[in-house]
């Protein structure tokens, strides 16, 4: 009732106003026709400028209207529509935003709707006015009017930011049970949006998503698929159990079980099918068992999608994609390949495009498919549609190898020269550079291609490209003379390029040139350094060169100066630039000037061809010692580092000196000390700085470079070794083409056509040169040899590589030395260990618990293993028996154990879990155990190759997890895994945020001898307990901490009589939960532990008759609960 | 996910723009301009897909468009959407508009921006495809209109005013999109064998 009164009251002034201006009808007409006249006005305009004027006029009149108190909501609604129009044209209407919110708040349905619409169009997630909307949305979500609820849900999913979700989340959750399907459906989508922006806030409703998936309404189910698609993309292993449901749903849809309403052009719910197919593709990826579930329905889908409508092709495309994503089945692959053919050969351009896309996707698995369609691909290369061309190039990029590289790059460059869009250039240039580095047939070609890349890609390309190129030149590859030739060729080609008049090169290209000329001009015989300097000088005087490039240029000049014989030109340059207005240039010029005066120093500073040598930097600045001593003797105050000064200042102030600040200061002080090069750059003009600076930047830039070299060629071939470049020189291009022409013609004969037009022939020629080396054996036969040249330029393994080699070799050592001896030593350990345990029991329990060296640290194992090592002969015999016939499984297990023990030797100072089998198949098996190190959890995974042949490129990967961080200890990729060998991988796991149960999942893949690759997934459970460590503190500290903790939990548990003695109870806790016993006072015990990295938890226990009172306190709220639960569990068990 | 839905006419004048990802005002305008620039250059006999420019968010995104008489309908989507699926979604959208406005034309989109947005909101919500069934969308819209009418009381009058405007004699704007007999009139629309 009061609502109505309110509405009437707000409407009154408007009515009054309307009456004044000639009745409501007139007002209305004038309002709606104003939009009309505005639009009419705009359409009549001829220039952008006039439009602007008109809109500004309109906006100012709107501004007056919306802020006038007399404006009714109805008029406001009209105003909003006009504002939306102006905003759409790109004019600022921010004055109306607040009124849009007001309209959404106050208006009746119609006005509210416009208000909400305006809000969702005007505001974005981080707009401050959004806060004003929350109440309205909450109110509308609770409304009984469906339309209002719908509007609220829509606006929530459009603009609500993360921090506002809690305000509406419970309301939207309720809507999942709403009786109207449209509401449920919108609620599901709103929740999906929440999942996208704040996944942890909706974690608790995952179970409700499952309910939505099983909703009786198909629309709601379809909406929930959005969520599942997303979640499965993030973590497919968690939803394997739903595969069956998805398959059933798809079966029903395909089988036409849905109401006819859902048909679109008589195809049942095509969008739903597409969604489901995508989900299946993700689920079945590399998972044979899951994939087997879906073969039938995929087959059915492929068969059913026969109708020739656009949307059936959409389904077919998804089907093909899915078939190629999941674990392969030859029948399906065959059908899918046929489908791809249909796409590629279709006259419909959209389908052709998708066909090419599908080809690009499957080409890795099935290169012969590209051969089948080679003529179509060639046609597409010259297609009038640039999109088709681009997709074709993408396809070619995937099939590039050493033999077709020149043709493919040529095609790419042609396209590059035509295109103008920046992102196309960036993308293509990157690909060309990558391919050129990988497969370049010779030096000249490589340099020329890179020249084209630099001059076209210019300043838009990724900075990695020039950096990689320079690094390649500098580091060289294995053959020194080859290196020199490449460099020489680069220098020569740049000099000729610079000779051309009136050509402007991009800045990046000039920088590359200047670096190369500075470093490698000495390789030239004919031209003297002076001539090069003159060229650089000319560039320096050019106005179009940026100051950054000038710095590069002058660095090059500086490098060349010591090699020059007559210094005239250098002197002129110095003169010119010491008076430059650009301070940086002046600085460089002064450096050069000073260096130039001392040629000896200059030569030692700027040696020739030493760009790859590492700089030795005197980080302690010891050369300044004399200077410092002198200063001190003259009474100067000794230097105090920054952090020390800060600390002193703080201690003087004597207020609130918190620890953490001290720490951060010290770190900043530390880094300050570590980079003296930076300081010297600014201060002294000794000349060192220029070069240092340059090298510093160089080396810095190189840090972030992606390793392009690790990438393999497109064909699954294994070249034997790096250095066989000379053994297999690249086949001269002409002969390749000739041979291929022959081949092509023979093929042609075989097919049917004997007479060809000239054009056809050209295409054939192109095809044969493009598809050379692709799959079919005949090609290889014709060529006479297998494709052995793959990486033309192979970069030397740098220090990192060496290191990893070393570590792998030590690994191998460790593994191969899983000598019999240690194997038995382990058993022996075990035995002695139990003995020791018994012995321990003889000690008074009390003293044992309080002894810091006991149990928790178990140094005994180590000692024991030592002693067993000292007398190996004792066990020599039975070793032989166990290990030499490795076929029996028993022996294998024994081997595993022995292996583990060899590793255990290194780590025995920590407690560890038992060995557990994680996964296995007929070739390999994998075991794991946990080592509870002081500061982290160390997972050791050991993989055994059970077969008698070697496995290639074994690779172990751990999926990243949300709750914890996995860092890898050295060595996780093995090029070759020898027969019957075992490899160990160590991962240290650190908790990121507390969780109770988690799992570490990942996969291992390897290649069998026949190059067929196998992947095996595994997952290992982790619990919070793995991250609990004893906390050793004194009783006093315990008291202090106890008071400072807020969250506590108390619980009494009954214990049986046998446990009645407090010490024995505590011992159980100490052993099972790794709590540290601090003190025992009468019938009370104090224990402490910490959750890594550093969340302490304290426990106070008291025994009273047969009741053990546990009292936990911690700074973390969930930890006590969890520990209590664990305590109860262990006490019950024992 | 759908990043943006744009409708503009042959001259690049925006008729509807809806962004499902936060872009700044300026970026939105730039995206509209860039998209028009890309799309208007395309011939009639090329495919309906385009790679999105840098603005809309890199190579993962594509523009899927259809050209009806005077209007371009462009959907910017990321790789999680099916190209052909979206292409048909545009068709559904246009057919729905046609049903709601009875022979929809460019003017309808101008004068009923709010209504068009409401129809769109029933199809796509927060960047997700909500409903693809034309009849269902029309039913929803009708139901909502009915509810509104019953509450607003006199909603009949503005409609008359609008129809008056619709019949105005405007220069330069061709009248009908004419999707009544789509597969014949619009060359861009594939009818596959």
């Amino acid at each position: 009732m009061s609502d109505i009164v309110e509405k009437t009251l707000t409407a009154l002034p408007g009515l009054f106003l309307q009456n004044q201006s000639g009745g409501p009808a007139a007002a209305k007409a004038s309002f709606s026709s104003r939009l009309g006249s505005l639009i009419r006005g705009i359409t009549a305009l001829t220039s952008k400028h006039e439009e602007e004027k008109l809109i500004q006029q309109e906006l100012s009149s709107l501004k007056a209207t919306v802020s006038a108190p007399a404006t009714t909501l109805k008029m406001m609604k009209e105003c909003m529509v006009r504002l939306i129009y102006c905003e759409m044209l790109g004019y600022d209407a921010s004055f109306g935003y607040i009124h849009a919110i007001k309209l959404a708040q106050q208006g009746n349905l119609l006005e509210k709707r416009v208000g909400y619409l305006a809000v969702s169009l005007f505001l974005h997630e981080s707009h401050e006015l959004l806060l004003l909307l929350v109440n309205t949305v909450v109110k509308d979500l609770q409304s009984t009017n469906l339309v209002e609820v719908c509007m609220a849900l829509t606006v929530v999913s459009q603009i609500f930011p993360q921090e506002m979700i809690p305000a509406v989340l419970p309301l939207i959750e309720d809507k999942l049970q709403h009786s109207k399907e449209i509401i449920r459906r919108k609620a599901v989508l709103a929740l999906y949006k929440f999942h996208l922006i704040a996944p942890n806030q909706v974690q608790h409703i995952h179970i409700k998503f499952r309910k939505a998936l099983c909703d009786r309404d198909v629309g709601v189910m379809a909406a929930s698929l959005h969520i599942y698609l997303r979640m499965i993309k993030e973590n497919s292993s968690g939803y394997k159990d739903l595969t069956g449901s998805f398959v059933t749903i798809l079966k029903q849809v395909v089988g036409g079980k849905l109401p006819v309403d859902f048909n679109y052009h008589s195809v049942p719910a095509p969008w739903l099918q597409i969604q489901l197919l995508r989900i299946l593709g993700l689920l079945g990826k590399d998972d044979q068992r899951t994939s087997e579930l879906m073969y039938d329905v995929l087959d059915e889908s492929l068969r059913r999608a026969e109708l020739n409508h656009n949307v059936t092709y959409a389904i077919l495309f998804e089907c093909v994609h899915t078939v190629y994503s999941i674990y392969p089945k030859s029948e399906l692959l065959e059908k899918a390949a046929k489908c791809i053919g249909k796409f590629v050969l279709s006259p419909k351009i959209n389908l052709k495009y998708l066909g090419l896309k599908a080809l690009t996707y499957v080409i890795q698995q099935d290169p012969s498919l590209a051969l089948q369609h080679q003529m179509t691909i060639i046609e597409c290369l010259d297609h009038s549609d640039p999109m088709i061309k681009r997709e074709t190039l993408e396809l070619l990029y995937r099939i590039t190898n050493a033999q077709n590289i020149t043709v493919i790059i040529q095609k790419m460059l042609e396209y590059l020269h035509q295109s103008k869009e920046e992102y196309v250039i960036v993308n293509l240039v990157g690909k060309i550079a990558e391919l050129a580095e990988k497969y370049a047939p010779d030096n000249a070609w490589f340099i020329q291609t890179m020249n084209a890349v630099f001059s076209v890609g210019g300043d838009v390309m990724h900075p990695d490209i020039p950096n990689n190129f320079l690094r390649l030149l500098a580091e060289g590859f294995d053959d020194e003379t080859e290196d020199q030739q490449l460099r020489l060729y680069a220098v020569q080609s740049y000099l000729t390029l610079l000779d051309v008049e009136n050509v402007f090169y991009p800045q990046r290209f000039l920088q590359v040139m200047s670096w190369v000329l500075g470093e490698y001009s000495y390789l030239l015989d004919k031209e003297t350094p002076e001539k090069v300097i003159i060229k650089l000088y000319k560039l320096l005087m050019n106005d179009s060169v940026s100051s950054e490039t000038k710095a590069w240029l002058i660095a090059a000049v500086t490098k060349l100066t010591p090699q020059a014989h007559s210094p005239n030109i250098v002197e002129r340059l110095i003169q010119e630039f010491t008076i430059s207005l650009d301070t940086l240039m002046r600085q460089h010029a002064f450096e050069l000037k000073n260096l130039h005066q001392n040629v000896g120093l200059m030569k030692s500073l700027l040696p020739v061809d030493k760009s790859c040598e590492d700089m030795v930097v005197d980080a302690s600045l010891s050369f300044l010692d004399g200077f410092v001593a002198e200063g001190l003797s003259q009474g100067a105050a000794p230097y105090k580092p920054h952090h020390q000064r800060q600390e002193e200042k703080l201690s003087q102030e004597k207020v609130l000196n918190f620890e953490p600040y001290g720490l951060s200061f010290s770190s900043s002080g530390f880094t300050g000390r570590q980079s003296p090069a930076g300081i010297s750059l600014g201060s002294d003009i000794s000349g060192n700085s220029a070069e240092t600076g340059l090298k510093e930047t160089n080396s810095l830039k190189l840090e972030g470079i992606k390793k392009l070299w690790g990438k393999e060629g497109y064909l699954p071939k294994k070249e034997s070794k790096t250095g066989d470049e000379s053994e297999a020189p690249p086949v001269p291009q002409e002969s390749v083409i000739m041979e291929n022409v022959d081949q092509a013609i023979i093929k042609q004969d075989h097919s049917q056509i004997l007479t060809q037009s000239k054009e056809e022939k050209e295409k054939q020629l192109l095809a044969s040169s493009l598809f050379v080396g692709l799959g079919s054996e005949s090609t290889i036969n014709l060529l006479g040899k297998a494709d052995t040249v793959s990486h033309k330029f192979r970069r030397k393994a740098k220090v990192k590589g060496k290191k990893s080699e070393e570590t792998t070799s030590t690994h191998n050592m460790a593994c191969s030395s899983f000598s019999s001896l240690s194997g038995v030593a382990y058993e022996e350990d075990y035995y002695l260990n139990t003995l020791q345990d018994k012995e321990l029991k003889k000690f008074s329990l009390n003293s044992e618990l309080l002894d810091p060296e006991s149990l928790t640290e178990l140094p005994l194992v180590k000692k024991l293993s030592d002693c067993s090592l000292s007398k190996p002969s004792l066990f020599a015999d039975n070793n032989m028996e166990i290990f030499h016939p490795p076929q029996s499984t028993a022996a294998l297990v024994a081997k595993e154990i022995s292996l583990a023990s060899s590793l255990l030797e290194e780590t025995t100072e920590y407690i560890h879990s038992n060995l557990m089998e994680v996964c296995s198949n007929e070739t390999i098996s994998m075991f794991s155990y946990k080592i509870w190190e002081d500061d982290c959890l160390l997972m050791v995974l050991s993989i055994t190759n059970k077969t008698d042949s070697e496995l290639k490129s074994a690779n172990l990967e751990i999926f990243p997890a949300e709750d914890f961080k996995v860092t890898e200890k050295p060595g996780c990729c093995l090029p070759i895994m020898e027969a019957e060998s075992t490899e160990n991988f160590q991962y240290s796991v650190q908790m990121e945020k507390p969780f109770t149960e988690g799992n570490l999942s990942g996969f291992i893949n390897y290649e069998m001898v026949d190059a067929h690759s196998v992947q095996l997934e595994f997952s290992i459970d982790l619990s919070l307990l793995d991250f609990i460590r004893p906390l050793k503190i004194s009783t006093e500290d315990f008291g202090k901490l106890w008071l400072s903790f807020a969250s506590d939990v108390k619980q009494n548990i009954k214990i049986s009589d046998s446990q009645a003695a407090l010490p024995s109870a505590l011992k159980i806790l100490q052993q099972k939960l790794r709590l540290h016993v601090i003190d025992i006072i009468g019938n009370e015990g104090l224990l402490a532990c910490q959750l890594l990295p550093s969340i302490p938890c304290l426990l106070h226990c008291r025994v009273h008759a047969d009741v053990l009172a546990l009292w936990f306190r911690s700074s973390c709220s969930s930890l006590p609960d969890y520990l209590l639960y664990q305590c109860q569990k262990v006490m019950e068990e024992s | 996910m759908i990043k943006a839905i744009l409708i503009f006419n042959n001259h690049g004048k925006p008729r509807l723009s809806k962004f499902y990802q936060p872009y700044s005002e300026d970026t939105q305008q730039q995206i509209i301009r860039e998209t028009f620039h890309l799309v208007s250059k395309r011939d009639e006999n090329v495919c309906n897909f385009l790679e999105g420019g840098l603005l809309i968010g890199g190579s993962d995104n594509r523009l899927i468009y259809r050209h009806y008489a005077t209007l371009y309908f462009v959907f910017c989507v990321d790789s999680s959407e099916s190209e052909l699926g979206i292409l048909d979604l545009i068709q559904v959208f246009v057919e729905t508009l046609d049903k709601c406005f009875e022979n929809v034309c460019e003017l309808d989109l101008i004068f009923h921006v709010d209504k068009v947005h409401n129809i769109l909101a029933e199809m796509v919500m927060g960047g997700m495809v909500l409903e693809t069934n034309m009849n269902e969308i029309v039913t929803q819209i009708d139901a909502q209109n009915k509810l509104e009418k019953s509450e607003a009381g006199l909603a009949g009058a503005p409609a008359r005013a609008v129809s008056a405007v619709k019949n105005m004699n405007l220069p330069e704007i061709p009248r009908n999109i004419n999707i009544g007999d789509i597969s014949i009139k619009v060359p861009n629309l594939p009818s596959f064998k």
Side-chain angles (χ1 to χ4, degrees), chain B residues 4-180:
Chain B
I5 294 172
L6 308 172
I7 305 176
F8 38 73
N9 70 3
N10 287 350
H11 306 289
K13 277 261 169 269
R15 291 299 173 223
L16 177 124
S17 68
K18 176 87 180 168
F19 290 86
Y20 294 99
Q21 270 205 333
Y23 295 104
S24 75
E25 271 307 304
D26 291 339
T27 324
Q28 291 187 4
Q29 288 304 316
Q30 252 174 300
I31 288 174
I32 295 174
R33 270 199 302 275
E34 197 182 284
T35 312
F36 171 68
H37 182 70
L38 283 172
V39 169
S40 60
K41 274 194 315 203
R42 311 270 296 163
D43 296 333
E44 284 295 319
N45 57 342
V46 294
C47 65
N48 297 44
F49 317 120
L50 266 175
E51 265 171 43
L54 286 178
L55 272 178
I56 199 94
S59 58
D60 190 38
N61 291 334
R62 276 144 312 141
L63 305 173
I64 294 160
Y65 72 96
R66 279 196 153 183
H67 190 193
Y68 295 97
T70 65
L71 290 178
Y72 285 99
F73 287 69
V74 186
F75 279 44
C76 308
V77 300
D78 68 7
S79 61
S80 66
E81 300 286 343
S82 148
E83 284 100 338
L84 287 176
I86 292 290
L87 207 55
D88 271 80
L89 192 70
I90 300 178
Q91 178 67 24
V92 171
F93 181 39
V94 175
E95 278 179 38
T96 313
L97 287 178
D98 195 49
K99 223 171 194 175
C100 289
F101 289 108
E102 287 160 19
N103 252 339
V104 67
C105 73
E106 190 177 339
L107 277 178
D108 288 316
L109 301 192
I110 303 171
F111 288 110
H112 300 282
V113 176
D114 51 334
K115 211 170 167 193
V116 178
H117 271 291
N118 288 337
I119 294 169
L120 193 57
E122 291 304 316
M123 286 184 71
V124 180
M125 181 173 156
M128 290 297 128
V129 180
L130 174 72
E131 178 62 73
T132 49
N133 183 352
M134 183 167 61
N135 294 332
E136 184 67 25
I137 301 167
V138 175
T139 323
Q140 284 299 334
I141 294 287
D142 284 349
Q144 286 174 18
N145 287 344
K146 232 179 253 168
L147 260 176
E148 276 164 5
K149 267 180 202 164
S150 65
E151 190 164 312
L154 27 72
R160 228 181 42 227
V162 164
S163 70
V165 178
K166 207 166 152 180
N167 296 328
M168 277 186 314
N169 192 15
L170 287 190
E172 280 187 333
I173 302 181
R175 299 306 300 272
N176 263 346
I177 294 180
N178 191 3
I179 54 160

Side-chain angles (χ1 to χ4, degrees), chain A residues 136-191:
Chain A
T136 318
V137 169
V138 168
K139 207 180 86 200
D140 285 337
L141 279 176
Q142 288 163 318
S143 160
T144 48
N145 188 327
L146 285 186
V147 181
E148 280 182 347
V149 180
C150 277
M151 286 190 287
L153 284 172
T154 309
V155 87
V156 161
S157 68
Q158 172 77 17
I159 47 173
F160 257 45
Q162 200 176 341
E163 55 276 11
M164 290 188 193
I165 293 175
V168 292
L169 187 58
L171 289 171
I172 295 182
E173 263 185 79
D174 286 346
K175 294 285 172 283
L176 288 177
Q177 272 99 45
H178 201 277
S179 58
K180 280 281 177 198
E181 58 94 10
I182 182 75
I183 303 281
R184 289 203 301 274
R185 198 193 298 184
K186 289 192 172 176
V188 167
L189 278 190
L191 288 173

Side-chain angles (χ1 to χ4, degrees), chain A residues 73-74 77 103-104 107-116:
Chain A
L73 289 174
K74 183 155 249 158
K77 186 191 127 207
L103 194 64
N108 63 21
L109 261 186
L110 206 58
E111 292 148 9
K112 198 185 249 300
R113 187 135 103 166
V114 175
Y116 268 130

Side-chain angles (χ1 to χ4, degrees), chain A residues 954-966:
Chain A
N955 186 15
L956 178 70
E957 221 160 284
I958 301 276
F959 298 130
E962 204 177 315
D963 300 329
F964 46 86
K965 195 177 71 192
V966 179

